[in-house]
Amino acid sequence: MVNGIQLGSIYALIALGYTMVYGIVRLINFAHGEIYMAGAYIGYFVAGYLGPFFLPTLVIPMLLTPVLALIIERFAYRPLRFAPRLAALSTALGVSIFLQNFVRQFIGADYRPFPQIMTPHTYNVGGVIINNITILVVGVAFTLMMVLQFIVRRTKVGKAMRAVSYDKDAARLMGIDLDYVISVTFVLGSTLAAAAGVLVGIAYPRIDPVMGLLPGMKAFIAAVLGGIGNIPGAMLGGLVMGMAEIMVVYLYSSKWRDAVAFAILIVVLLLRPQGLLGRQLSEKV
Amino acid sequence: MARSVKTETATRPHVIPGPVRVIGTAAALSALYFLVIAVAGHNPYYMQILSIAAINVIGAVSLNLINGFTGLFSIGHAGFLAIGAYTSGSLTVFLGFPFIPSIIMGGICAMAMGFVVGTPTLRLGGDYLAIATLGFGEIIRVVMNNIDKVGGPRGFTGIPPYSSFFWTYLFAVATVLIIINFVTSSHGRACKSIREDEIAARAMGINVTRYKVTVFVIGSFFAGVAGGLLVHTLQLAHPKMFGIMKSVDYLIMIVVGGYGSITGAIVAATLITGLTEALRFIQEWRMLVYGLLLIVVMLTRPQGLMGGFEVSFDRLAGLLGKPSADAGKQEGVK
């Protein structure tokens, strides 16, 4: 249960990036899982050089990975902004494959142990066994989600983002700089993904180049589950996914966890394609 | 984006009469077969690569029918390959089926699964379909991984080596001909209209959902056939063979070849298969190159290398200046 919340809040952090990018540019950013992987690797190196301190390990990746996301956006996605959607999707897949294998090639394909940031302590709070790493992961995740909510709801950029996601062309007519807003979206999404990467490194101390693939997809499922383009939905979806997965492992067998994730996806798509918190969109002609 | 739509044969200046076309095609294809045998027939390693190339042609062309011609975005093709592979393998190993029926059954099972998956998911928009097919492909892989009867994570071994280049070539030719016939028919035009503008197509009275499901089912059938051929060539099936990367391989083939170009899919499938083998010594770099290739091709030529271009008798005849029955023989690749 507690593990479910921990895993779920990590999925939720990644899912937010998917949902924001999709909400604004209508692109499934397949490379988002790799951004998360990059965050974990940067965290790994920071912790390796500076020593196992929590704050730099978390903050430096959160500052560096958005640069990567900006580069990807600028060189791979922006030229295709008005190209057919299939072209953009294929490019996103290409970026994903490229990043994965880039890391595999230049850093190594092996699993690497993430430096231990803090020694685990176990507490028993009213019968619930919980350890400090879980508290940390969930705490950081929720703080970041609140910050994001604040940015999107209360700031000018957030307002612009909402306007663009509502109607791109009308927003442009109102003088909103589309490229700027999209860049901000990518930056915010990748910051959260980087944080998720570091938190995963802390919670499950093992990182490898393909670590982004499955969590990336599951986070996407979480985004779909909550209603894509919907920020609270992504958080809820992430939690549901995390819980469901841990439940399967706990009740049945870990071999089926991935299949269950995708089964959830297909069931949700069939029953409620707009997601749990989504609203029905009419098809634009 | 403007696509070159193939004009009606009737409006072309150089039209080759039907019987000549059939004989020419048969002659060209058998000439190609014997040429390949003459060049590479003595080397089993080359023959195996050629078999795999032919199988990849089936996979790429059938995926191109779904993605390129109808504009759906399916990235779970490997799932159907897996179904065909495991079905066909099990039938020969456990029930002693002969080769051809087992392949056909593999195709039929994949087709049935395509129908089951396609009917509900094809109502979804393009991006959702992508993620649903991806999810489906993964589910298949996990299921195969957990069925101990067919080897589970150890892989399914001991499949008889029924397949050979002759059979894979034959199946590839049959697949290509069937799909060419489909896409040049009025059904094919309906599919292209869905690709160009789904809402307009619906307004023109095209049953969009039915066409999507049909195309998806046909594509799955041939993917199943490709999977069956693959296990009988390699004598082994392994869940890892049918992961996401396999689907992405096919996607790369049709992207590089050009969405909606049969010739492109064939050329790209053959080239990429050859390239994969040639790059075996730097295998870790292969995927890096693939990723870059995909990005660069999309950025510079979003329509793929061949675009909508097709090699055909009519075009060849046009090049030669007069309708000629020899035209096909000189350029074997159809």
Side-chain angles (χ1 to χ4, degrees):
Chain A
M1 187 71 182
V2 174
N3 283 333
I5 295 176
Q6 174 180 327
L7 188 63
S9 48
I10 287 167
Y11 284 156
L13 279 181
I14 313 171
L16 286 170
Y18 274 111
T19 222
M20 285 197 297
V21 168
Y22 191 87
I24 290 186
V25 273
R26 305 270 149 210
L27 166 74
I28 299 178
N29 184 7
F30 279 109
H32 197 62
E34 276 59 49
I35 300 273
Y36 149 86
M37 180 266 292
Y41 267 86
I42 296 175
Y44 167 80
F45 286 117
V46 168
Y49 287 117
L50 297 182
F53 302 113
F54 174 64
L55 265 184
T57 311
L58 181 66
V59 173
I60 295 176
M62 286 173 67
L63 295 176
L64 288 183
T65 28
V67 177
L68 176 65
L70 277 182
I71 295 171
I72 296 172
E73 197 274 326
R74 179 66 192 80
F75 290 103
Y77 299 156
R78 192 173 296 178
L80 289 170
R81 185 146 313 147
F82 300 101
R85 301 260 292 281
L86 290 185
L89 270 178
S90 308
T91 314
L93 263 178
V95 172
S96 162
I97 299 171
F98 176 75
L99 286 177
Q100 243 175 53
N101 290 282
F102 187 85
V103 171
R104 176 179 292 177
Q105 202 53 34
F106 289 99
I107 301 178
D110 315 332
Y111 286 111
R112 288 177 177 235
F114 202 82
Q116 198 166 37
I117 300 291
M118 54 204 301
T119 41
H121 291 289
T122 311
Y123 307 105
N124 189 332
V125 187
V128 182
I129 294 165
I130 192 165
N131 71 23
N132 53 352
I133 291 178
T134 306
I135 297 175
L136 179 84
V137 168
V138 175
V140 170
F142 274 87
T143 315
L144 288 173
M145 288 179 211
M146 289 307 127
V147 171
L148 178 75
Q149 243 337 3
F150 175 77
I151 292 174
V152 173
R153 291 279 151 214
R154 296 270 181 273
T155 63
K156 214 169 166 184
V157 155
K159 205 174 192 177
M161 281 168 64
R162 283 181 285 143
V164 171
S165 90
Y166 192 74
D167 189 333
K168 210 187 284 181
D169 296 322
R172 259 167 42 150
L173 288 176
M174 298 305 288
I176 291 172
D177 182 353
L178 200 60
D179 285 338
Y180 174 71
V181 171
I182 291 174
S183 301
V184 169
T185 311
F186 271 88
V187 166
L188 285 177
S190 56
T191 308
L192 296 180
V198 174
L199 293 177
V200 160
I202 293 173
Y204 311 92
R206 213 171 71 145
I207 59 175
D208 67 289
V210 290
M211 65 184 275
L213 197 63
L214 268 180
M217 284 194 295
K218 285 176 192 160
F220 182 79
I221 299 173
V224 173
L225 183 63
I228 196 146
N230 181 321
I231 289 176
M235 297 180 197
L236 179 72
L239 288 177
V240 172
M241 284 291 296
M243 303 283 253
E245 212 172 286
I246 297 293
M247 285 297 166
V248 172
V249 174
Y250 176 69
L251 293 175
Y252 194 59
S253 150
S254 64
K255 286 191 292 188
W256 292 95
R257 62 195 289 178
D258 298 341
V260 167
F262 290 108
I264 292 179
L265 167 80
I266 290 176
V267 170
V268 169
L269 284 179
L270 298 186
L271 298 181
R272 222 181 131 74
Q274 73 273 35
L276 296 178
L277 296 184
R279 64 197 152 75
Q280 189 73 55
L281 286 176
S282 60
E283 209 168 339
K284 260 187 230 169
V285 179
Chain B
M1 192 181 72
R3 279 175 186 271
S4 63
V5 177
K6 208 177 169 204
T7 41
E8 290 300 300
T9 38
T11 63
R12 294 218 164 201
H14 307 285
V15 177
I16 297 168
V20 178
R21 188 187 292 260
V22 172
I23 295 167
T25 309
L29 290 171
S30 32
L32 179 68
Y33 175 74
F34 286 113
L35 186 73
V36 168
I37 292 291
V39 172
H42 55 91
N43 187 330
Y45 173 63
Y46 289 158
M47 291 314 282
Q48 168 121 341
I49 295 169
L50 284 166
S51 291
I52 292 171
I55 292 166
N56 284 342
V57 165
I58 301 177
V61 170
S62 60
L63 186 64
N64 207 0
L65 176 65
I66 301 173
N67 287 17
F69 283 99
T70 321
L72 307 170
F73 198 69
S74 164
I75 43 179
H77 217 49
F80 296 110
L81 253 86
I83 292 178
Y86 275 91
T87 310
S88 174
S90 311
L91 286 176
T92 46
V93 171
F94 299 126
L95 299 177
F97 262 53
F99 176 55
I100 301 293
S102 83
I103 298 284
I104 303 291
M105 275 308 290
I108 289 173
C109 285
M111 188 163 108
M113 194 51 95
F115 184 74
V116 171
V117 177
T119 311
T121 51
L122 287 167
R123 291 173 195 283
L124 305 166
D127 299 346
Y128 286 108
L129 177 69
I131 212 80
T133 50
L134 186 85
F136 160 74
E138 276 302 286
I139 290 178
I140 294 296
R141 197 180 57 78
V142 175
V143 169
M144 296 310 173
N145 216 355
N146 283 296
I147 298 179
D148 212 47
K149 182 84 174 159
V150 292
R154 296 184 307 281
F156 185 17
T157 49
I159 298 167
Y162 286 149
S163 184
S164 64
F165 179 64
F166 172 74
W167 289 113
T168 54
Y169 183 78
L170 201 68
F171 273 105
V173 166
T175 307
V176 169
L177 291 181
I178 291 170
I179 289 184
I180 285 179
N181 268 315
F182 182 82
V183 298
T184 49
S185 69
S186 64
H187 301 297
R189 283 196 295 278
C191 294
K192 287 178 200 163
S193 76
I194 294 173
R195 172 187 73 193
E196 297 301 333
D197 190 334
E198 192 178 324
I199 294 161
R202 184 171 285 141
M204 296 303 288
I206 290 169
N207 188 338
V208 171
T209 310
R210 207 188 74 196
Y211 269 109
K212 282 182 174 177
V213 173
T214 309
V215 161
F216 200 69
V217 164
I218 295 175
S220 329
F221 174 79
F222 286 113
V225 167
L229 290 168
L230 188 66
V231 291
H232 283 101
T233 303
L234 300 178
Q235 303 169 44
L236 147 108
H238 194 281
K240 280 211 173 120
M241 278 161 50
F242 303 106
I244 297 166
M245 288 327 292
K246 186 80 179 172
S247 303
V248 171
D249 273 353
Y250 287 124
L251 198 67
I252 292 172
M253 286 172 196
I254 64 171
V255 165
V256 169
Y259 277 133
S261 164
I262 302 271
T263 315
I266 297 171
V267 170
T270 316
L271 275 182
I272 288 176
T273 314
L275 206 64
T276 309
E277 285 302 320
L279 294 180
R280 183 86 46 212
F281 67 102
I282 46 165
Q283 206 181 5
E284 311 85 61
W285 288 88
R286 192 170 65 93
M287 289 317 292
L288 198 66
V289 175
Y290 270 19
L292 265 185
L293 193 68
L294 199 57
I295 301 171
V296 170
V297 169
M298 279 295 105
L299 289 182
T300 51
R301 272 186 77 84
Q303 72 275 42
L305 293 182
M306 303 290 272
F309 181 81
E310 299 285 4
V311 174
S312 71
F313 283 121
D314 293 337
R315 197 182 287 274
L316 284 171
L319 283 179
L320 292 176
K322 60 178 197 305
S324 153
D326 308 334
K329 286 177 193 158
Q330 293 171 7
E331 196 114 340
V333 183
K334 172 90 171 89

